[in-house]
Amino acid sequence: MAVRKRSLGVVAVLAAAGLGLAACGQSSGGGEGEAIELTITQNAIKGGKNAAGATFIEDWVIPKFEAAQKAKGKDVTVKFVPSGVDDEQYKTKLSLDLKSGKGADVMDIDGIWAGEFAEAGYIKPLSELIGPEADSWDGWSQIPEAVQGMAEFNGKKYALPVGTDGRVLYFNKTLFQKAGLPADWQPKSWQEILDAGTKLKSAGVPVPIQINAGTAMGEATSMQGVLPLLAGAGGEVQQDGKWTGASQPLKDALGLYQKIYGGGLGDPKLQQEAKGRDKSFQQFADGKVGILMEGDYFWRGVVNPKDGVAKMADRDQVVGYAMIPAMEPGKGVRGQDFVSMSGGALRTVNPNSEHPKEAFELLTFTLSPEALKEETKDGNVRVTPRTDVNKEILAGEPLLTFISEKVLPVTAYRPPVAVYPQVSVALQEATAAVVGGTAPDQAAADYQKKLEGIVGGAGNIAS
Amino acid sequence: MAQATSPPEVVKEDARTRRGYSSDAAGLGSLRAGAFVAPALLLIAAFLVFPALWVLYLGLTNYRLTGAAAAEPEFVGLANLLDAVFNPTFWNSTWLTVQFVLGSAVIGQVVLGFTIAWLLRDRAGPLKRLVEGLVILAWILPSAVVSFLWVALLDRDGGTLNALLGIPGFPWLLDHPMLSIIVFNTWRGTAFSMMLYGAALGNVPPSHLESARLAGASGWQQLRDVVFPHIRGHILTNLLLISLWTFNDFSPFLLTAGGPDGRSEVLAVHVYKVALQSGELGYGAAVSTIILLINLVVAVFYLRLLRSKK
């Protein structure tokens, strides 16, 4: 080590003196390989946003990976580039980095950005960038088709999935008991949800049903509201490259909003408040909400008795969960009885990387069974992309097991294209209109008009 | 600064021209003179004219930060400009920017800056140095540091201001976002006006003031009839500069991020939001073009005032 340090010093001095040739000869001729520097970035920072993730990368991944490379005779140093900002700002930063041909070698992106990044040429198919190793990675066999799909665009894999999630209906068992409803409630149609809501209402529950609506909740309205309902009515926001306009499924989904918020089964004002979603969490934890549609984040991060933002000490006894039913059995998307929506992060190699192969090694290392087990220990359990790991770590986690075994097989994903975020806002506006009193047919027609402007004319909308 | 931006005196060169010398003051001839200014012109072309033209061009495309339009932007003509003109958000931002410029620059900085300069004009010693030092400190500190301090000052829950006034929980930045950024920018930018007027007041001949006083002029009459006519050029130059600076100022973003609900989204913040956060670079460039035009109009307005004789 000391010898190498000294020789590096010599190289540095020579280079500084302007003798570039000598430095070149030394590094290309050296059998033990040159020093490789890699960077890895996530929207995570110690002591701030996603602190556990940042700690895991800095204190476990980097030392272990460097040691493993050294054992192979490679001198690799890895640097973590932290970030602790809103997801939109993180996305802007990445886009600008990639546009100017720079950025970290390994980076995390939201699954929903994959399409727009790929279309812009900011990320490349792994098989082109890395070579055959990308497709022969032994982890692929452990990752379910649907989760792999998140990392695909136009049939090519652009990244490795970091994990996934799913949406369910949560309900308060105490309130259900009061209303004479079963503790193992599993509605099979929308009507059964409304019936339960009516019973809860007559039992004096202030907010029988909370299904997110409006623009203030942003993407939460789409993911935990209109999109699962649309899927339950047999629709998709985009099908075979054509966008869904004022179709019957959309009218049905908006119709359910009308029945809930027009019929006194939900609180329309809550959908307009700036902090409406946080308030809905608090109200659920306080026993004021009967039924709530949310992702597994709600269980892990909100009502978690240990470190949730709206802790429920008796979560495991009081909070029940059920799959989201289709409008009627068999009426859901792909003829399903139950539906859900999923998203998740991706991790990929920067096409501008000088060492794509080593970067890919680092990438796969972070998603190896050992790394995932280390990352999810001490109460940080989440659904990882790997079935082998999930089997082990989800064993003591009933909700996450439920999600990975029952929900993920029937789930759906958002279309990974650049205009989706704009379409999503238009959908949120349609729900806001219905909650505000507009008829579902009218809101659907208005949505179609906006959609035509967003996706480039009526020709891209299925009639 | 004051000297550099004051109107240059017109040099009479008729005599030389008639005798057949080069018409320029230095006697170089246009070719050699051109060679001397060429480097400066090249720099201006590369860093000012070219980017401006590039923005004009981008404004005519559907260029985006991500997606297919990032790789292959398409020419869309005037669609972006028309979108902006018919977009109520854009007009809302323009109106907020006008309020911001009038409130913080034209009224706030000029009045406060002149008042400080006028009050301190005949003083010397530690008080003057202290006041000037504090005002200039507000001006030279980096924006990031200053806005962090102001967020700490105005914060709803733990803010210093609320603690001093004894009204915990009052959301200044949410309930009065425009007032907050106007007061902030007045505080921040007063130093320039103060220094410029301080220098200008030094040029007012004391004898004129003396005669005015002897003739029984009140303080306001002295200001109106003796001081203002002398520093008219300085006032207009100062107004021109700080209006344009304030018009294009981005630091309100660091205080309010344009919120809540766009109620403090001045044009500079609006462009950032549409171009970088929503990724619509083409539309953002079109809005920038409109801002450029507004700046030109403002500049021409002031320059005409400056050129016109009393």
Short mmCIF file of all heavy atoms in Angstrom, two decimals, chain A residues 88 92 95-96 99 116-117 119-120 122 418, chain B residues 63-68 70-71 276-277 281:
data_model
loop_
_atom_site.label_atom_id
_atom_site.label_comp_id
_atom_site.label_asym_id
_atom_site.label_seq_id
_atom_site.Cartn_x
_atom_site.Cartn_y
_atom_site.Cartn_z
N GLU A 88 -39.27 16.49 -6.98
CA GLU A 88 -39.25 17.25 -8.23
C GLU A 88 -37.91 17.95 -8.42
O GLU A 88 -37.39 18.02 -9.53
CB GLU A 88 -40.38 18.28 -8.24
CG GLU A 88 -41.70 17.75 -8.77
CD GLU A 88 -41.58 17.20 -10.18
OE1 GLU A 88 -40.93 17.85 -11.01
OE2 GLU A 88 -42.12 16.12 -10.45
N THR A 92 -35.09 17.50 -11.33
CA THR A 92 -34.51 18.60 -12.11
C THR A 92 -33.00 18.52 -12.10
O THR A 92 -32.35 18.65 -13.14
CB THR A 92 -34.96 19.95 -11.52
OG1 THR A 92 -36.39 20.00 -11.53
CG2 THR A 92 -34.41 21.10 -12.31
N SER A 95 -31.83 15.64 -14.25
CA SER A 95 -32.01 15.92 -15.68
C SER A 95 -30.94 16.86 -16.19
O SER A 95 -30.38 16.65 -17.27
CB SER A 95 -33.37 16.55 -15.95
OG SER A 95 -34.37 15.96 -15.20
N LEU A 96 -30.65 17.91 -15.39
CA LEU A 96 -29.63 18.87 -15.84
C LEU A 96 -28.26 18.21 -15.88
O LEU A 96 -27.48 18.43 -16.81
CB LEU A 96 -29.63 20.10 -14.92
CG LEU A 96 -30.88 20.97 -15.02
CD1 LEU A 96 -30.88 22.05 -13.95
CD2 LEU A 96 -30.99 21.62 -16.39
N LYS A 99 -28.27 15.94 -18.91
CA LYS A 99 -28.30 16.72 -20.15
C LYS A 99 -26.91 17.24 -20.49
O LYS A 99 -26.53 17.31 -21.64
CB LYS A 99 -29.29 17.88 -19.98
CG LYS A 99 -29.52 18.69 -21.25
CD LYS A 99 -30.43 19.87 -20.96
CE LYS A 99 -31.86 19.64 -21.36
NZ LYS A 99 -32.09 19.22 -22.71
N GLU A 116 -39.58 9.18 -19.58
CA GLU A 116 -39.15 10.48 -20.09
C GLU A 116 -37.63 10.58 -20.15
O GLU A 116 -37.07 11.22 -21.05
CB GLU A 116 -39.75 11.65 -19.30
CG GLU A 116 -39.86 11.43 -17.82
CD GLU A 116 -40.54 12.59 -17.10
OE1 GLU A 116 -40.34 13.75 -17.50
OE2 GLU A 116 -41.26 12.35 -16.12
N PHE A 117 -36.95 9.92 -19.21
CA PHE A 117 -35.48 9.93 -19.26
C PHE A 117 -34.99 9.13 -20.46
O PHE A 117 -34.05 9.52 -21.15
CB PHE A 117 -34.90 9.35 -17.96
CG PHE A 117 -34.80 10.35 -16.84
CD1 PHE A 117 -35.74 11.35 -16.71
CD2 PHE A 117 -33.77 10.29 -15.91
CE1 PHE A 117 -35.67 12.28 -15.68
CE2 PHE A 117 -33.67 11.22 -14.88
CZ PHE A 117 -34.62 12.21 -14.77
N GLU A 119 -36.67 8.50 -23.26
CA GLU A 119 -37.01 9.21 -24.50
C GLU A 119 -36.02 10.33 -24.76
O GLU A 119 -35.72 10.65 -25.91
CB GLU A 119 -38.42 9.80 -24.39
CG GLU A 119 -39.53 8.80 -24.68
CD GLU A 119 -40.91 9.45 -24.64
OE1 GLU A 119 -41.01 10.64 -24.29
OE2 GLU A 119 -41.88 8.74 -24.94
N ALA A 120 -35.54 10.95 -23.69
CA ALA A 120 -34.60 12.05 -23.85
C ALA A 120 -33.18 11.54 -24.10
O ALA A 120 -32.28 12.33 -24.36
CB ALA A 120 -34.62 12.94 -22.62
N TYR A 122 -31.35 10.15 -21.78
CA TYR A 122 -30.57 10.34 -20.56
C TYR A 122 -30.16 9.01 -19.95
O TYR A 122 -29.17 8.94 -19.22
CB TYR A 122 -31.36 11.12 -19.52
CG TYR A 122 -31.66 12.56 -19.91
CD1 TYR A 122 -32.60 13.29 -19.23
CD2 TYR A 122 -30.97 13.17 -20.95
CE1 TYR A 122 -32.89 14.61 -19.57
CE2 TYR A 122 -31.24 14.47 -21.30
CZ TYR A 122 -32.20 15.19 -20.62
OH TYR A 122 -32.47 16.48 -20.94
N ALA A 418 -43.42 10.57 -20.76
CA ALA A 418 -43.12 11.92 -20.27
C ALA A 418 -44.37 12.71 -19.92
O ALA A 418 -44.35 13.51 -19.00
CB ALA A 418 -42.31 12.66 -21.33
N TYR B 63 -39.13 22.41 -26.92
CA TYR B 63 -38.02 21.83 -26.17
C TYR B 63 -38.41 21.57 -24.71
O TYR B 63 -39.02 22.41 -24.07
CB TYR B 63 -36.86 22.82 -26.22
CG TYR B 63 -35.52 22.26 -25.84
CD1 TYR B 63 -35.10 21.02 -26.28
CD2 TYR B 63 -34.64 23.00 -25.05
CE1 TYR B 63 -33.86 20.53 -25.95
CE2 TYR B 63 -33.39 22.52 -24.71
CZ TYR B 63 -33.01 21.28 -25.17
OH TYR B 63 -31.78 20.80 -24.82
N ARG B 64 -38.05 20.38 -24.21
CA ARG B 64 -38.36 20.02 -22.83
C ARG B 64 -37.11 19.51 -22.12
O ARG B 64 -36.13 19.15 -22.75
CB ARG B 64 -39.43 18.92 -22.79
CG ARG B 64 -40.83 19.39 -23.11
CD ARG B 64 -41.81 18.25 -22.87
NE ARG B 64 -41.74 17.82 -21.49
CZ ARG B 64 -42.51 18.31 -20.52
NH1 ARG B 64 -43.43 19.18 -20.80
NH2 ARG B 64 -42.38 17.90 -19.29
N LEU B 65 -37.19 19.49 -20.80
CA LEU B 65 -36.04 19.01 -20.02
C LEU B 65 -35.90 17.50 -20.14
O LEU B 65 -34.80 16.96 -20.11
CB LEU B 65 -36.24 19.42 -18.56
CG LEU B 65 -35.08 19.19 -17.60
CD1 LEU B 65 -33.84 19.90 -18.09
CD2 LEU B 65 -35.43 19.69 -16.22
N THR B 66 -37.03 16.80 -20.24
CA THR B 66 -36.99 15.35 -20.36
C THR B 66 -37.94 14.93 -21.47
O THR B 66 -38.66 15.75 -22.02
CB THR B 66 -37.46 14.68 -19.05
OG1 THR B 66 -38.77 15.11 -18.79
CG2 THR B 66 -36.56 15.01 -17.90
N GLY B 67 -37.94 13.64 -21.76
CA GLY B 67 -38.86 13.12 -22.76
C GLY B 67 -38.34 13.27 -24.17
O GLY B 67 -37.23 13.77 -24.40
N ALA B 68 -39.17 12.84 -25.13
CA ALA B 68 -38.73 12.83 -26.53
C ALA B 68 -38.38 14.24 -27.01
O ALA B 68 -37.45 14.42 -27.81
CB ALA B 68 -39.83 12.24 -27.41
N ALA B 70 -36.91 16.44 -25.52
CA ALA B 70 -35.58 16.85 -25.08
C ALA B 70 -34.54 16.43 -26.09
O ALA B 70 -33.55 17.11 -26.31
CB ALA B 70 -35.27 16.25 -23.71
N ALA B 71 -34.77 15.26 -26.71
CA ALA B 71 -33.82 14.76 -27.70
C ALA B 71 -34.03 15.41 -29.05
O ALA B 71 -33.08 15.80 -29.72
CB ALA B 71 -33.94 13.24 -27.81
N LEU B 276 -37.86 24.64 -15.37
CA LEU B 276 -37.04 23.61 -14.75
C LEU B 276 -37.85 22.63 -13.92
O LEU B 276 -37.60 21.42 -13.98
CB LEU B 276 -35.94 24.25 -13.90
CG LEU B 276 -34.93 24.99 -14.78
CD1 LEU B 276 -33.93 25.74 -13.94
CD2 LEU B 276 -34.20 24.01 -15.69
N GLN B 277 -38.84 23.10 -13.18
CA GLN B 277 -39.60 22.13 -12.38
C GLN B 277 -40.58 21.35 -13.23
O GLN B 277 -40.71 20.14 -13.09
CB GLN B 277 -40.33 22.85 -11.24
CG GLN B 277 -39.34 23.32 -10.18
CD GLN B 277 -40.02 23.69 -8.88
OE1 GLN B 277 -41.22 23.92 -8.82
NE2 GLN B 277 -39.24 23.74 -7.81
N LEU B 281 -39.00 23.72 -21.18
CA LEU B 281 -37.97 24.71 -21.49
C LEU B 281 -38.41 25.65 -22.60
O LEU B 281 -38.12 26.85 -22.57
CB LEU B 281 -36.68 24.00 -21.88
CG LEU B 281 -36.00 23.21 -20.76
CD1 LEU B 281 -34.81 22.45 -21.29
CD2 LEU B 281 -35.56 24.13 -19.64
#
